[in-house]
Amino acid sequence: MNIREAKEQVKFTVKSYLTRNEIGDYVIPVIHQRPVLLLGAPGIGKTQIMEQIAAECGIALVAQ
């Protein structure tokens, strides 16, 4: 999987987690949602990708 594919997969996951039904409940209940964890060598752009996704989705990012 390349960087572009990884970004699209993560973005799809985030949007899926944020999707709500007509009465305002999450389509995927919070209890079934899992954190998004990226693994890889230092300096390959993991944080940068997540910053871009957060900005595109209009959400906050917590990175450690």
Side-chain angles (χ1 to χ4, degrees), residues 10-31:
V10 172
K11 193 172 178 180
F12 175 79
T13 300
V14 169
K15 287 185 174 191
S16 296
Y17 283 175
L18 297 176
T19 302
R20 295 178 183 254
N21 61 20
E22 58 279 345
I23 60 172
D25 294 331
Y26 288 110
V27 174
I28 301 173
V30 175
I31 195 164

Side-chain angles (χ1 to χ4, degrees), residues 20-55:
R20 295 178 183 254
N21 61 20
E22 58 279 345
I23 60 172
D25 294 331
Y26 288 110
V27 174
I28 301 173
V30 175
I31 195 164
H32 294 293
Q33 296 181 16
R34 298 293 177 256
V36 174
L37 176 66
L38 300 181
L39 298 173
I44 63 169
K46 297 178 297 289
T47 303
Q48 182 63 34
I49 289 170
M50 293 307 297
E51 288 173 351
Q52 291 173 14
I53 292 169

